[in-house]
Amino acid sequence: SQTIHQWPATLVQPVGSPLSLECTVEGTSNPNLYWYRQAAGRGLQLLFYSVGIGQISSEVPQNLSASRPQDRQFILSSKKLLLSDSGFYLCAWSVEGSRYGYTFGSGTRLTVV
Amino acid sequence: AQSVTQLGSHVSVSEGALVLLRCNYSSSVPPYLFWYVQYPNQGLQLLLKYTSAATLVKGINGFEAEFKKSETSFHLTKPSAHMRDAAEYFCAVTRSTGNQFYFGTGTSLTVIP
């Protein structure tokens, strides 16, 4: 069966520090991968999605970047965190076409102090 | 373009009462529709999905939703609320050839004992 792993679960980082969040998927090949952010009291904001290795689409201009170095690995990064980067980050995967739905990871709570 | 609107960011019901969470969609092509649930500090879990088969869809935890094309709605219901149903609920739409979901802003359900 397919599983998705996301870590760390919680992270407290100072302003200006770098960020690296990792997401990996098991049990499937060539998944579509997604990074979402939930700010406090707000809905889901799509940050990046990827349909293949090295293929990244950015939905919102921001302080973050994403990379897909391997088929089932998706990384969210920042060189210098801002206070506004605080939030709950969710990784998700789907098969091509998304008609079967997304499967989400358990999320990372990032607090920038 | 696709989008969903969730009416009511907060809904409160008494334990044992009917749960009704509203979702209206906009889509230029036949949509696929989904409901997800999110418990505090967790990822999203698929409750149910409509993919052009039966219009009344049954999901997990006793929830169901009915696709009504004439009303462009996909409301989520449960006959009798339990305390454990307290969570955030998200409606989402995609299309058969798309790679992206479009999420609503979410409805927070409170169950009063």
Side-chain angles (χ1 to χ4, degrees):
Chain A
S1 62
Q2 303 91 356
T3 57
I4 179 168
H5 302 281
Q6 190 179 341
W7 68 92
T10 60
L11 192 59
V12 179
Q13 293 283 95
V15 169
S17 64
L19 173 73
S20 180
L21 302 181
E22 189 163 344
C23 173
T24 59
V25 180
E26 296 179 357
T28 188
S29 296
N30 196 33
N32 291 344
L33 296 171
Y34 307 84
W35 277 111
Y36 280 86
R37 177 170 62 196
Q38 267 183 309
R42 300 180 64 178
L44 294 157
Q45 180 185 32
L46 178 62
L47 300 176
F48 302 95
Y49 72 93
S50 172
V51 298
I53 295 174
Q55 301 179 59
I56 308 295
S57 295
S58 174
E59 290 297 299
V60 182
Q62 59 211 321
N63 185 41
L64 302 169
S65 62
S67 62
R68 185 170 177 172
Q70 301 180 40
D71 181 44
R72 289 170 287 180
Q73 183 184 29
F74 204 26
I75 298 172
L76 183 69
S77 304
S78 174
K79 293 182 179 178
K80 290 185 178 182
L81 283 169
L82 306 172
L83 287 174
S84 57
D85 292 324
S86 294
F88 193 53
Y89 289 82
L90 290 160
C91 181
W93 76 272
S94 72
V95 298
E96 183 180 357
S98 70
R99 61 191 179 278
Y100 298 109
Y102 285 8
T103 299
F104 284 85
S106 54
T108 295
R109 173 73 60 191
L110 172 66
T111 304
V112 182
V113 296
Chain B
Q2 291 82 39
S3 67
V4 291
T5 301
Q6 291 184 243
L7 300 176
S9 58
H10 298 276
V11 171
S12 294
V13 300
S14 298
E15 191 174 14
L18 171 70
V19 176
L20 171 61
L21 305 182
R22 300 177 186 274
C23 174
N24 288 89
Y25 70 91
S26 173
S27 179
S28 56
V29 297
Y32 291 165
L33 295 158
F34 303 79
W35 275 100
Y36 282 84
V37 61
Q38 185 182 31
Y39 300 102
N41 291 312
Q42 294 187 28
L44 277 70
Q45 180 183 7
L46 181 65
L47 272 178
L48 50 81
K49 60 185 178 184
Y50 166 76
T51 55
S52 73
T55 57
L56 182 61
V57 181
K58 294 187 182 299
I60 63 172
N61 301 340
F63 284 93
E64 63 181 35
E66 185 172 7
F67 173 70
K68 292 186 177 181
K69 184 177 179 180
S70 61
E71 299 177 8
T72 61
S73 68
F74 191 57
H75 301 331
L76 182 70
T77 61
K78 182 173 181 178
S80 177
H82 291 120
M83 295 300 295
R84 62 178 177 266
D85 296 328
E88 189 87 14
Y89 292 81
F90 291 93
C91 183
V93 64
T94 188
R95 58 182 183 178
S96 61
T97 56
N99 284 312
Q100 292 187 45
F101 269 30
Y102 298 89
F103 285 93
T105 52
T107 297
S108 177
L109 176 66
T110 299
V111 181
I112 303 167

